Amino acid sequence: MRKLYDRIMKYILLFALVFGVSQNINSQHHEPVQSVHENSDENTGHNEVQHTHNKHIVAFYAAFTHIPGAFYESETNERRSGKFVPTLGLDYYYHFAPKWATGIMADFEFDDYYVNRGEEELIRDNIWVAALVTKYKAHKYIDFFAGPGYEMERKKGNTDQESISFWLIRAGVEFAVPIENNWYMGTSFLYDFKEEYHSFSFGVSFYKSF
């Protein structure tokens, strides 16, 4: 099952790369070259919006994260069933170019589960995930993003097991539409490639640009 998810994500990343390159090439060949006077004196509307777009975006994210290799109790070892975990997130992005942005995605999972780590059963308890991603606007409403991240687990209570953290690579796609007053609503799919196990999330976000 894990190999199937890996293969799907490879196809998604390949599609994002090919689509992004083709969009750049297409825009370079078809966008007319305009002088400074033409932009300032004659053009309004779309061109003006492009030059005065908001650079900052804050987003609130609510999702369910699915961990295919997780099971509920160490006695049952229900690895094939996986588990859906409620997740909340807060994101910030900065647009350094009309189609490019960079930012931080911070998520928190509100549940615990077990995963196998070789011969050992590893407990994951209310983990935090922080990722530094780069976004590319491939379409008016579609963005692709990817970047490195880190999964952190809160300190264990009275258990003997130490808190364990993992590096990860996050990749995904989101679809967002404007509402009003620089507010947006979007849906997203993201996949985390972790050192010991993988997970993916489906969620809804509300954005505010300023």
Side-chain angles (χ1 to χ4, degrees), residues 8-120:
I8 292 173
M9 286 309 301
K10 289 179 181 178
Y11 287 142
I12 291 176
L13 293 176
L14 180 61
F15 172 78
L17 178 62
V18 174
F19 190 82
V21 172
S22 64
Q23 287 294 313
N24 282 333
I25 295 176
N26 183 66
S27 62
Q28 291 175 3
H29 282 285
H30 292 86
E31 288 183 358
V33 178
Q34 298 176 338
S35 66
V36 176
H37 295 288
E38 290 175 335
N39 284 332
S40 59
D41 298 334
E42 298 179 4
N43 292 317
T44 57
H46 180 67
N47 288 332
E48 182 177 353
V49 171
Q50 281 188 332
H51 290 289
T52 60
H53 70 281
N54 295 327
K55 292 184 176 295
H56 305 276
I57 291 180
V58 175
F60 174 77
Y61 176 69
F64 280 98
T65 300
H66 183 62
I67 303 93
F71 49 94
Y72 297 90
E73 299 177 0
S74 58
E75 294 83 8
T76 58
N77 199 29
E78 297 176 358
R79 289 175 295 177
R80 293 184 179 180
S81 63
K83 187 173 185 179
F84 282 94
V85 177
T87 304
L88 293 179
L90 184 65
D91 307 337
Y92 167 77
Y93 305 101
Y94 175 78
H95 279 274
F96 58 89
K99 288 190 174 184
W100 292 92
T102 185
I104 298 175
M105 304 177 72
D107 306 337
F108 182 74
E109 296 181 1
F110 289 88
D111 209 342
D112 58 83
Y113 48 88
Y114 293 86
V115 293
N116 281 335
R117 189 188 189 192
E119 300 295 330
E120 178 187 4

Side-chain angles (χ1 to χ4, degrees), residues 75-176:
E75 294 83 8
T76 58
N77 199 29
E78 297 176 358
R79 289 175 295 177
R80 293 184 179 180
S81 63
K83 187 173 185 179
F84 282 94
V85 177
T87 304
L88 293 179
L90 184 65
D91 307 337
Y92 167 77
Y93 305 101
Y94 175 78
H95 279 274
F96 58 89
K99 288 190 174 184
W100 292 92
T102 185
I104 298 175
M105 304 177 72
D107 306 337
F108 182 74
E109 296 181 1
F110 289 88
D111 209 342
D112 58 83
Y113 48 88
Y114 293 86
V115 293
N116 281 335
R117 189 188 189 192
E119 300 295 330
E120 178 187 4
E121 289 179 353
L122 187 64
I123 304 175
R124 307 307 288 155
D125 186 11
N126 298 96
I127 64 172
W128 290 85
V129 175
L132 179 63
V133 301
T134 299
K135 297 177 65 174
Y136 173 73
K137 181 169 289 298
H139 185 266
K140 183 178 180 180
Y141 301 122
I142 300 176
D143 293 342
F144 291 97
F145 57 87
Y150 196 63
E151 175 183 291
M152 300 158 283
E153 186 180 24
R154 71 176 186 179
K155 187 175 181 180
K156 302 292 185 181
N158 297 323
T159 64
D160 295 331
Q161 192 175 40
E162 296 181 356
S163 298
I164 299 176
S165 300
F166 299 122
W167 290 100
L168 59 90
I169 296 294
R170 170 166 291 188
V173 58
E174 61 184 1
F175 176 86

Side-chain angles (χ1 to χ4, degrees), residues 49 52-54 56-58 177-185 206-210:
V49 171
T52 60
H53 70 281
N54 295 327
H56 305 276
I57 291 180
V58 175
V177 294
I179 303 176
E180 60 179 7
N181 297 327
N182 293 325
W183 280 95
Y184 299 81
M185 179 179 179
F206 289 93
Y207 304 81
K208 174 66 175 178
S209 65
F210 57 95

